């Protein structure tokens, strides 16, 4: 069920009516029911996978906590009789048992994700090697079902498991409540990747209908549809034309496609998240924000703190830090400091941990080399800018431009251009082709196509470009306004005719200028694929 | 405070309803300057509904039969509820719809539609269904006709279907916002130009010549609906040379007509009797007849209906004669206009 389908709107309407009419103590159960129906309608077999993840993480999470409780009771009973060493040895034994349970859950769930998502990628690579060594043997690809949103719900469940293992949150005792945390439908498809302690605060609460909150949710949904249907799906027509015909569209077209894709991806992904957060808000549930005006970032490092925030923090908390402080990494740190000196040696573990994070980020985005190269490209740019920090410092000490508006705009534009360059791997989805197309930007010499009307041959009319231009300007204006607080609250403070004109006007824009219905492809949100 | 809120809400609802209504009117295709076939179905509702004969079917009825001849020669008051690629279930539900307003003595159905057993094309669906007034017949017609890509909601709120027309609106979209322009003569779409039928392609071999179950089911329903309402159902095959009419199809229709006691007239086999000349009586190389061809085969059909069902000659009815006098004037004016335009070319 696509967020942009009539069925989804009908589904939401039915849910909202039921949600606020059933006794409040049943609200979370109703949400679970609707979440499973949502998933069932996508494909009944998906339920098997999400149920396995839910049941295994729930059960093993409980078992891990049970070990901690047993330990607590055991030590309390022996208070004063146990020596320090005995206590330490006992704790070690318990931790070992917990680690066993933790690893079992981790291997099972990441194993399911790896098998379903990456088997054919592995087979393709093995076949490539076999071909390279002249073997006539090839392995047949397997037809595996890839459940919708598996990367999102698996990461959400694994995050919960790690938190229980670390003892930072108590394990959820009710299987069905936990099932709702894993399957909460608005975020099932494309995130955000919520943490249990964040989402659970409002997910299971009883919610009284309040028009102010409900209307804010609807407004956020409408804004999401504007970005998705008016901007992203319109821009997609041009992007597809360019990337599907690489022989025809080279040079400046690649640049245009790159910039078009920057707008499309932003509108698509943030639009989808707006619909998710807006839906949750209509239900009285708070979902973590996933974006913070990322295109205003002055560096790629900052960009990744503001784009897909929940994924970034997930990788930082659950991969970067554990690797950085792991035993082997501490050893590497020691060895590298000894061999390379303190200044360089201390940076080696950071580089290696970051490398692991960006490799995982690339792989998480998709089972193909383009995503891996894209991930490592991000890593390389971040590491290079880190290495160039002393140079930047010297530059700023001499020219004092850091606080100048012009320089900040230069930094923002530079970040957008760098990120757009990296995303060409995502566009063409073929590493050699991406390099080739990127190269044509410097050799084709056809920059005149940007202003001689050639862009009108990409399936977009002048009217479409005007809509895109106006839409992008509106998004920019809203982003500027957001810096001083919620735009919806600002609008809410205006007189009724103004409020009505703004929201009804936006509704009409989506209705009339949205790219939907017959004549257009019903496009999935880009992040549905991950 | 409460009163103020009620007034505010009521005003908002009114503004929303009014703007959406106006926008929908504006964005709907007007089918005036091109693809006029889209207007045919809706024109029926403005008629006085007292017809003796109703035609249902695809372009082979609305381009090949002229109700004016039936009136002029036999005093038969008839109307064509035809539309482009009208599928048999659409014909059936259009008949149901017609019976809500009147009970004709004879229904003439063109059998080419039997070749389709499942939904075909959204654009043609729109032309057949959009003009229908809302009723259960329309609901069922939509459900039976929708292709996989279509949604029922788009028929209920056509603005959802035509929302993107904002960038291609023409002056006629404003001109015909609330007014209509008649494009047919009792459902007949007149063409006077000539393009002789030459090199008409033979029919390609088919894997299966049997008409589909769904098509038969609707033909049965049509026959039953006519029986139940004491209406004579006449099956016709218009003399269009293309799409090709196979012998195997012909035999199936002959058998069906025989088994159900229906009159069946295949005009493809009546070239001599009707005097049809494919050099001068078609405007598109044999696919459809022009006015001259349509008048010839309508004259033959009128005689057949008279012979078979002894329909009353109503030319003595003053009120009806007056209506037809106006219709005939418009018909002749259209003919002259088209002839002048053809001569100019």
């Amino acid at each position: 069920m696509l967020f942009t389908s009539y069925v989804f709107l009908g589904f939401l309407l039915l849910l909202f009516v039921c949600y606020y009419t059933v006794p409040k103590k049943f609200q979370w159960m109703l949400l679970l029911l609707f979440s499973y129906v949502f998933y069932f309608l996508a494909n009944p077999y998906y339920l098997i996978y999400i149920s396995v993840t839910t049941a295994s993480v729930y059960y093993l999470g409980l078992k891990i906590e049970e070990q901690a409780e047993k330990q607590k009771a055991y030590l309390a009973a022996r208070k004063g009789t146990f020596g320090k060493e005995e206590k330490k040895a006992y704790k070690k034994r318990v931790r070992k048992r917990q680690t066993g349970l933790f690893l079992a859950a981790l291997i099972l769930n990441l194993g399911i994700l790896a098998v379903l998502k990456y088997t054919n990628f592995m087979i393709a690579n093995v076949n490539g090697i076999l071909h390279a060594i002249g073997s006539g043997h090839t392995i047949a690809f397997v037809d595996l079902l890839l459940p919708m949103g598996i990367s999102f719900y698996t990461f959400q469940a694994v995050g919960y498991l790690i938190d229980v293992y670390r003892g930072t949150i108590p394990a959820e005792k009710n299987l069905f409540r936990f099932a709702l945390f894993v399957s909460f439908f608005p975020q099932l498809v494309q995130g955000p990747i919520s943490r249990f302690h964040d989402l659970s605060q409002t997910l299971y609460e009883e919610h009284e209908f309040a028009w102010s909150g409900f209307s804010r949710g609807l407004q956020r949904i409408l804004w999401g549809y504007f970005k998705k249907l008016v901007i992203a799906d319109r821009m997609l027509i041009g992007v597809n034309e360019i990337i599907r015909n690489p022989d025809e569209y080279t040079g400046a077209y690649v640049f245009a496609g790159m910039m078009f894709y920057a707008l499309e991806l932003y509108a698509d992904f943030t639009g989808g998240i707006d619909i998710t957060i807006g839906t949750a808000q209509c239900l009285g549930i708070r979902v973590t924000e996933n974006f913070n005006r990322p295109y205003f970032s002055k560096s790629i490092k900052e960009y990744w703190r503001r784009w897909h925030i929940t994924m970034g923090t997930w990788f930082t908390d659950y991969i970067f830090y554990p690797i950085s402080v792991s035993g082997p990494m501490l050893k590497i740190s020691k060895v590298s400091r000894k061999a390379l000196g303190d200044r360089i040696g201390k940076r080696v573990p950071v580089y290696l941990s970051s490398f692991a994070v960006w490799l995982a980020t690339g792989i998480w985005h998709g089972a193909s080399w383009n995503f891996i190269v894209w991930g490592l490209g991000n890593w390389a740019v971040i590491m290079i800018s880190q290495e160039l920090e002393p140079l930047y410092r010297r530059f700023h000490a001499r020219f004092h431009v850091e606080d100048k508006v012009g320089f900040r705009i230069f930094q923002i534009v530079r970040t957008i251009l760098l990120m757009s360059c990296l995303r060409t791997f995502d566009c063409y989805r073929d590493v050699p082709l991406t390099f080739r197309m990127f190269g044509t930007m410097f050799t084709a010499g056809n920059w005149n196509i940007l202003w001689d009307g050639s862009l009108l041959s990409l399936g977009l009319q002048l009217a479409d470009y005007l809509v895109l231009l106006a839409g992008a300007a509106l998004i920019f204006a809203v982003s500027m306004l957001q810096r001083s607080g919620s735009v919806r609250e600002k609008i809410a403070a205006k007189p009724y005719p103004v409020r009505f004109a703004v929201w009804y006007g936006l509704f009409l824009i989506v209705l009339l200028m949205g790219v939907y219905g017959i004549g257009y492809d019903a496009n999935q949100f880009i992040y549905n694929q991950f | 405070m409460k009163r103020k809120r009620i007034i505010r809400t009521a005003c908002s609802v009114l503004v929303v309803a009014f703007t959406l209504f106006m926008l929908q009117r504006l964005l709907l295709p007007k089918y005036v300057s091109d693809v006029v076939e889209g207007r045919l179905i809706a024109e029926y509702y403005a008629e006085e509904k007292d017809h003796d004969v109703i035609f249902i079917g695809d372009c082979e009825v609305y381009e090949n039969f002229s109700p004016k001849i039936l009136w002029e020669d036999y005093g038969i008051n008839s109307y064509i509820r035809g539309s482009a690629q009208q599928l048999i279930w659409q014909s059936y539900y259009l008949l149901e719809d017609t019976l809500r307003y009147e009970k004709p003595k004879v229904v003439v159905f063109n059998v080419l539609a039997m070749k389709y057993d499942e939904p075909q094309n959204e654009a043609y669906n729109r032309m057949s269904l959009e003009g229908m007034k809302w009723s259960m017949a329309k609901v069922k017609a939509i459900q039976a006709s929708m292709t996989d890509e279509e949604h029922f909601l788009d028929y209920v709120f056509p603005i959802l279907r035509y929302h993107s027309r904002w960038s291609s609106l023409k002056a006629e979209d404003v001109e015909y916002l609330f007014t209509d322009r008649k494009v047919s003569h009792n459902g007949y779409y007149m063409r006077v130009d000539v393009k002789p039928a030459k090199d008409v392609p033979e029919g390609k071999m088919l894997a299966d010549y049997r008409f589909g179950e769904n098509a038969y089911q609707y033909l049965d329903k049509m026959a039953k609906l006519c029986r139940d309402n004491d209406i004579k159902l006449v099956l016709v095959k218009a003399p269009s040379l293309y799409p090709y009419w196979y012998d195997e199809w012909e035999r199936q229709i002959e058998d069906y007509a025989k088994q159900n006691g229906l009159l069946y007239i295949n005009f493809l086999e009546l070239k001599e009797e009707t005097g049809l000349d494919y050099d001068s009586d078609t405007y598109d190389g044999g696919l459809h007849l022009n006015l001259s061809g349509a008048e010839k085969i309508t004259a033959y059909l009128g005689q057949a209906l008279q012979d078979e069902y002894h329909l009353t000659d109503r030319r003595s009815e003053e009120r009806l004669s007056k209506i037809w006098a106006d219709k005939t004037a418009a018909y002749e004016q259209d003919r002259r206009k088209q002839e002048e335009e053809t001569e100019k070319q």
Side-chain angles (χ1 to χ4, degrees), chain A residues 6 496 504 511-512 514 516 518, chain B residues 8 12 16 19 154 163 166:
Chain A
Y6 297 148
Y496 181 76
Y504 185 52
L511 180 75
L512 300 181
Y516 63 90
I518 288 174
Chain B
R8 207 168 68 178
S12 307
V16 169
T19 47
D154 290 347
H163 64 95
W166 61 268

Side-chain angles (χ1 to χ4, degrees), chain A residues 130-147:
Chain A
L130 290 173
H131 179 73
I133 60 172
S135 163
H137 188 72
T138 54
I139 305 169
F141 288 105
V142 284
D143 190 14
L144 293 169
L145 185 74
L146 186 64

Side-chain angles (χ1 to χ4, degrees), chain B residues 3 44 65 94 97 119 130 201 235 251 279-280 298 318:
Chain B
R3 194 160 160 249
Y44 167 77
F65 295 99
L94 274 165
D97 179 59
E130 263 176 3
L235 305 180
R251 279 196 291 278
D279 283 334
S280 59
T298 308
E318 200 180 325

Side-chain angles (χ1 to χ4, degrees), chain B residues 117-290:
Chain B
D117 200 43
E118 49 193 40
Q120 297 292 310
N121 180 298
E122 193 259 350
Y124 287 124
N125 282 347
R126 288 273 160 189
M127 286 193 267
S128 294
L129 302 169
E130 263 176 3
M132 279 178 87
K133 280 197 172 171
W134 280 102
S135 67
M136 274 315 287
K138 177 163 178 168
V139 171
K140 288 179 191 168
I142 293 169
Q143 285 171 338
S145 305
M146 280 192 304
T147 54
D148 290 341
E149 60 183 351
E150 290 179 77
H151 296 281
F152 187 81
L153 209 59
D154 290 347
Y155 283 94
V156 182
F157 304 109
I159 193 171
L160 295 172
R161 169 64 183 87
Y162 296 114
H163 64 95
S164 55
R165 282 194 73 238
W166 61 268
S167 58
S168 55
L169 289 174
K170 294 182 207 158
E172 70 176 36
D173 287 297
V174 179
E175 192 183 344
Y176 294 102
L177 197 59
F178 292 109
T179 54
D180 295 331
R181 197 186 80 188
K182 274 194 96 144
V183 297
S184 82
H185 302 280
N186 272 35
Y188 168 62
Y189 172 56
M190 182 191 289
R191 287 289 295 261
V192 302
D193 44 334
V194 179
K195 184 183 174 191
K198 282 179 189 157
D199 307 320
V200 178
E202 278 292 305
K204 289 176 189 162
M205 285 259 286
L206 301 181
D208 189 355
Y209 290 91
R210 282 172 303 177
F211 293 133
E213 268 181 38
N214 198 29
Y216 266 125
Q217 195 191 327
Y218 276 98
L219 188 58
D220 286 342
K221 284 173 82 154
M222 198 183 284
K224 183 174 182 304
L225 188 63
C226 288
R227 265 198 315 275
D228 292 348
N229 286 279
D230 200 21
I231 297 167
K232 304 295 177 193
L233 177 63
V234 176
L235 305 180
V236 295
K237 169 66 191 84
S240 298
L241 298 175
Y242 204 83
Y244 191 78
W245 183 249
Y246 296 91
D247 291 344
E248 291 83 352
W249 290 356
E250 174 68 6
R251 279 196 291 278
Q252 288 173 77
I253 295 297
E254 280 175 354
D255 291 346
Y256 188 89
K258 206 171 169 185
Q259 283 161 18
N260 291 274
L262 305 176
L263 174 63
Y264 171 50
I265 306 169
N266 181 352
F267 285 97
L268 283 167
E269 294 172 355
L270 297 170
K271 197 179 157 202
E272 277 178 26
E273 291 85 339
T274 55
L276 205 61
D277 179 353
Y278 285 102
D279 283 334
S280 59
D281 291 336
T282 163
Y283 76 86
D284 54 6
L287 272 75
H288 306 99
L289 301 182
N290 56 20

